[in-house]
Amino acid sequence: MAQVNPAGATPAADPNSIDPRVFPPSARRGSECRELQLGGARATELVEQYGSPLYVIDEAAARDRASEVRVALESEAERIGTSATVYYAGKAFLCVEVAQWMAEEGLAIDVASGGELAVALAAGVDPARIGFHGNNKSEREIARAVEAGVGTIIIDSEVETERIARAAAAADRRQRVRLRVNSGVHASTHDFLATSHEDQKFGQPLSEAPRLVEAILAHDSLEFVGLHCHIGSQIFATDGFRESARRLVGVYPELERIAGRPIPELNLGGGFGIAYTSAQAEQAPEVAAIARQLADIVAETCAEAGVSVPQLAFEPGRAVIGQAGVTLYTVGTTKPVLLAGSDAAADPADLGFAERLYVSVDGGMSDNARPALYGADYQVRIANRESDADPALVRVVGKHCESGDIVVQRDVIPGDVRAGDTLAVAVTGAYCWSLSSNYNYVPRPPVIAVSNGSSRVIVRGETEDELLAKSVIPAPVAPANAG
């Protein structure tokens, strides 16, 4: 199969290894057959019970990470003389049980649609601990949020000020609001993930903040509590946070003059990066380090601006749930392809291999759209066994009718991977189920939670019959009378 080019690079890691910086902490090779276990449950047994593809969420990993992130941000805020509210960004992955986990671990919930709000409310989350985002919230969604007692609604555009004020007045409530602004800081990330440069759909220019805050304060039914800014996603360096915080705090003295009082809150969003591969794990920052640096940034900028340190808010999503998720697939076909000119040195990313093995699985871009959307890469391992076969450079691809239907762009696994093997793709807890589709009429897989060797469904999968039931089938048309 795949041969190593003598002049090329040597594959880095053991192709059977389970990197604890990428897979959930509970992931390990069992003593029997050396197959992958997640939360104490064997991968093959999970596939036998629930089918494939299969989203697996390690409950303990999700809960522990949520608590770790919350404690780190809260304790660092306390160190600089303030407090912090940590919202779980539900858009990463939200279902009723996950919302309950987050609330039980002390996190508030951030939602971005009426549907996500419905999930949080169904989970019994205290409405006062829900933040409602969105660049195009409908009047019906706004009214529902106000009536439910949602703690904070984030104003994304000028027109929303009037909409929220009307809804709050009609409900005889004083609604807390934040104003989302663009700091002009473009985080070092994929263009589609950067959300704080001015030429994009979210928020208002920071220069407009004084005028817009004045408009908010003109409504008795609104309570302005602070600014919100989100500079992007999958951010590894804190430079962008530093500059964004400096710019936001810089306008607080003027906002305080307009309001005639201190502005109590500052929401710096989320976007903390995580490792998707072992190579990326070398650069991914620790949450404690991020929290410490963010706290120092806020304290310094507030001292420079001459304002008291506001209460802080953060909205991590991927950083909480990403590593807790693994997707299991079943291999269907494999196909070796000679790399261009058999010259592996032409692309160092191909690790010195002269051949790439295409491994087709029973899912793809319908259950993980991120590689197609963002060029995202993942790590894959054979889950049902270990092998001492020569390593192969593989590209894991899906079953959809698209050449861009790639699950794992490149990784190295044992070259005897074959039909029927179970593959595990790590770090699929965030933005995989959330972005899933029925492309090519492929049903969405179920989501299961594993814990202490047991498993249970937390989101039911779909069947072909359920997809067909959505189609309106017209009554048969009688043939025209030929006589």
Side-chain angles (χ1 to χ4, degrees):
M1 296 294 284
Q3 300 172 355
V4 178
N5 185 322
T10 303
D14 172 6
N16 295 292
S17 64
I18 303 299
D19 191 335
R21 301 169 302 174
V22 177
F23 281 84
S26 72
R28 55 182 48 85
R29 295 277 184 191
S31 54
E32 241 183 88
C33 303
R34 301 291 292 162
E35 74 170 282
L36 178 67
Q37 294 182 358
L38 299 166
R42 292 168 53 190
T44 54
E45 290 183 348
L46 294 175
V47 169
E48 287 170 7
Q49 183 174 356
Y50 301 105
S52 169
L54 180 65
Y55 296 114
V56 182
I57 303 289
D58 184 324
E59 179 182 355
R63 285 180 176 273
D64 290 349
R65 181 64 171 175
S67 179
E68 177 190 5
V69 171
R70 178 185 60 77
V71 169
L73 291 167
E74 286 180 348
S75 61
E76 289 298 327
E78 186 178 354
R79 178 175 63 83
I80 62 169
T82 188
S83 61
T85 300
V86 181
Y87 291 83
Y88 170 66
K91 64 179 182 173
F93 172 57
L94 194 66
C95 67
V96 169
E97 189 158 343
V98 166
Q100 290 173 343
W101 296 349
M102 297 300 131
E104 288 167 2
E105 298 304 324
L107 279 68
I109 305 289
D110 169 51
V111 301
S113 71
E116 288 183 354
L117 173 59
V119 173
L121 294 174
V125 175
D126 179 358
R129 291 181 57 76
I130 296 176
F132 189 19
H133 272 283
N135 68 297
N136 187 27
K137 298 181 281 291
S138 70
E139 295 197 31
R140 181 177 179 182
E141 287 176 320
I142 290 169
R144 182 181 186 187
V146 170
E147 290 164 6
V150 162
T152 311
I153 300 178
I154 293 81
I155 295 176
D156 195 89
S157 60
E158 190 168 358
V159 68
E160 284 194 340
T161 299
E162 301 300 322
R163 289 180 179 174
I164 300 168
R166 283 197 304 270
D172 195 23
R173 287 199 63 217
R174 193 156 188 258
Q175 178 63 54
R176 286 166 41 93
V177 295
R178 296 190 191 101
L179 175 65
R180 179 161 182 166
V181 295
N182 298 324
S183 64
V185 175
H186 187 160
S188 299
T189 184
H190 190 288
D191 280 347
F192 294 158
L193 299 179
T195 57
S196 196
H197 54 293
E198 292 187 359
D199 188 12
Q200 52 93 25
K201 74 174 192 174
F202 292 109
Q204 295 289 299
L206 184 57
S207 59
E208 291 290 294
R211 181 181 67 82
L212 295 171
V213 168
E214 202 162 11
I216 293 168
L217 293 169
H219 292 280
D220 292 338
S221 59
L222 300 181
E223 179 187 356
F224 174 67
V225 296
L227 298 181
H228 171 280
C229 186
H230 183 71
I231 64 172
S233 296
Q234 193 56 357
I235 303 166
F236 279 23
T238 55
D239 295 355
F241 289 111
R242 175 181 295 277
E243 181 58 23
S244 183
R246 187 187 69 78
R247 295 184 187 186
L248 264 63
V249 172
V251 304
Y252 268 50
E254 186 174 359
L255 300 186
E256 292 185 351
R257 180 188 60 77
I258 293 169
R261 58 171 173 80
I263 306 301
E265 294 182 7
L266 174 63
N267 189 321
L268 293 175
F272 312 142
I274 63 171
Y276 280 87
T277 65
S278 293
Q280 218 175 35
E282 301 299 329
Q283 293 86 38
E286 293 292 329
V287 65
I290 295 175
R292 183 171 59 254
Q293 292 178 51
L294 288 176
D296 288 342
I297 288 166
V298 171
E300 290 167 12
T301 52
C302 286
E304 291 168 3
V307 297
S308 35
V309 178
Q311 297 169 19
L312 302 178
F314 303 95
E315 298 167 352
R318 178 200 320 263
V320 172
I321 200 72
Q323 191 183 350
V326 175
T327 304
L328 301 178
Y329 298 98
T330 300
V331 175
T333 64
T334 62
K335 178 170 62 178
V337 175
L338 196 66
L339 295 177
S342 300
D343 182 10
D347 185 355
D350 287 332
L351 303 173
F353 286 86
E355 188 176 86
R356 188 192 320 279
L357 185 63
Y358 276 76
V359 180
S360 297
V361 296
D362 52 353
M365 63 192 301
S366 61
D367 58 73
N368 188 351
R370 293 190 69 255
L373 282 177
Y374 311 126
D377 206 3
Y378 286 86
Q379 190 157 310
V380 62
R381 289 292 180 263
I382 298 175
N384 55 301
R385 60 188 175 89
E386 214 172 43
S387 170
D388 58 5
D390 288 342
L393 176 69
V394 298
R395 176 167 291 163
V396 181
V397 296
K399 62 184 292 180
H400 298 284
C401 195
E402 295 284 346
S403 58
D405 179 23
I406 296 170
V407 179
V408 179
Q409 184 73 21
R410 59 172 60 81
D411 203 351
V412 176
I413 63 174
D416 63 349
V417 60
R418 55 185 178 261
D421 276 338
T422 301
L423 294 190
V425 175
V427 199
T428 58
Y431 300 107
C432 289
W433 185 88
S434 298
L435 290 170
S436 62
S437 73
N438 293 125
Y439 185 47
N440 291 149
Y441 258 70
V442 173
R444 288 179 179 84
V447 185
I448 66 163
V450 291
S451 179
N452 297 320
S454 64
S455 62
R456 63 189 184 281
V457 174
I458 59 174
V459 180
R460 284 194 296 270
E462 298 170 333
T463 66
E464 290 178 356
D465 286 345
E466 288 172 332
L467 297 187
L468 286 170
K470 296 178 181 179
S471 293
V472 178
I473 302 175
V477 178
N481 189 344

